Amino acid sequence: SDHTLAEWDAAEGFGGRGALRVRSTAAGDELAAGRRFDDWRLDLFPTLRLAYRLPEGLSASIRCKTPYNDWVTLGERGPEQAAQPGQVQLGNSLVGDGHWQERVLNVREAMHRVLPGIEEVTECQVFTHQPIDAGAAFWLDRVTIAANEEPG
């Protein structure tokens, strides 16, 4: 958005060498940062890995955009997949506790829960769930796409 500033923060970082700080310059409905992709083929690279640090009390999710300009929040269910009693929701929320955390997501599987035919993603974003104040921030590091969910 117009009120988002992404900047390198050399004092932070999951690996100790700095991280991307995403900061709000004004109050707003959400804080989001992402990347566009020319050719992210989910059949070849289904996995997204990232490290993140959210302040305590702030939560976020990841959404991806299809070539048809539809946004899908990873972890959403398709209309035919209503939650059953006792069924565990796909763990897609990024919960803020002030510490660095890692997440590995099978984007292809998550997209197919909502739109089974999608095999490409054109953009991916991390976004907050709640309105934010000016100066609110979160950090991202080691964001990669990969062929599998193995650590590495």
Side-chain angles (χ1 to χ4, degrees), residues 4-61:
T4 301
L5 179 63
E7 54 197 356
W8 188 252
D9 185 346
E12 278 291 338
F14 183 73
R17 293 188 299 270
L20 182 69
R21 177 176 52 206
V22 180
R23 184 169 56 88
S24 175
T25 59
D29 292 336
E30 69 176 19
L31 182 58
R35 178 172 176 201
R36 291 185 179 93
F37 297 92
D38 291 330
D39 188 23
W40 179 1
R41 290 185 44 196
L42 296 176
D43 58 335
L44 298 177
F45 301 99
T47 303
L48 174 69
R49 285 192 192 95
L50 74 154
Y52 66 92
R53 185 168 81 79
L54 291 164
E56 195 165 336
L58 195 64
S59 63
S61 285

Side-chain angles (χ1 to χ4, degrees), residues 6-144:
E7 54 197 356
W8 188 252
D9 185 346
E12 278 291 338
F14 183 73
R17 293 188 299 270
L20 182 69
R21 177 176 52 206
V22 180
R23 184 169 56 88
S24 175
T25 59
D29 292 336
E30 69 176 19
L31 182 58
R35 178 172 176 201
R36 291 185 179 93
F37 297 92
D38 291 330
D39 188 23
W40 179 1
R41 290 185 44 196
L42 296 176
D43 58 335
L44 298 177
F45 301 99
T47 303
L48 174 69
R49 285 192 192 95
L50 74 154
Y52 66 92
R53 185 168 81 79
L54 291 164
E56 195 165 336
L58 195 64
S59 63
S61 285
I62 298 170
R63 61 186 170 211
C64 293
K65 194 177 200 179
T66 73
Y68 306 101
N69 291 323
D70 297 310
W71 284 101
V72 174
T73 299
L74 303 187
E76 284 183 337
R77 299 180 185 282
E80 73 289 347
Q81 295 171 316
Q84 301 298 317
Q87 188 172 19
V88 176
Q89 173 70 299
L90 185 64
N92 72 308
S93 286
L94 309 178
V95 179
D97 63 2
H99 300 287
W100 281 99
Q101 299 183 55
E102 285 184 281
R103 181 59 55 92
V104 179
L105 294 164
N106 186 321
V107 175
R108 184 175 193 239
E109 182 179 289
M111 293 290 286
H112 283 184
R113 288 176 186 262
V114 179
L115 296 171
I118 295 300
E119 290 298 337
E120 186 178 335
V121 168
T122 60
E123 190 171 350
C124 197
Q125 292 184 343
V126 173
F127 69 101
T128 60
H129 294 159
Q130 61 266 59
I132 48 92
D133 296 324
F138 62 83
W139 290 260
L140 299 171
D141 197 4
R142 294 190 177 180
V143 180
T144 58

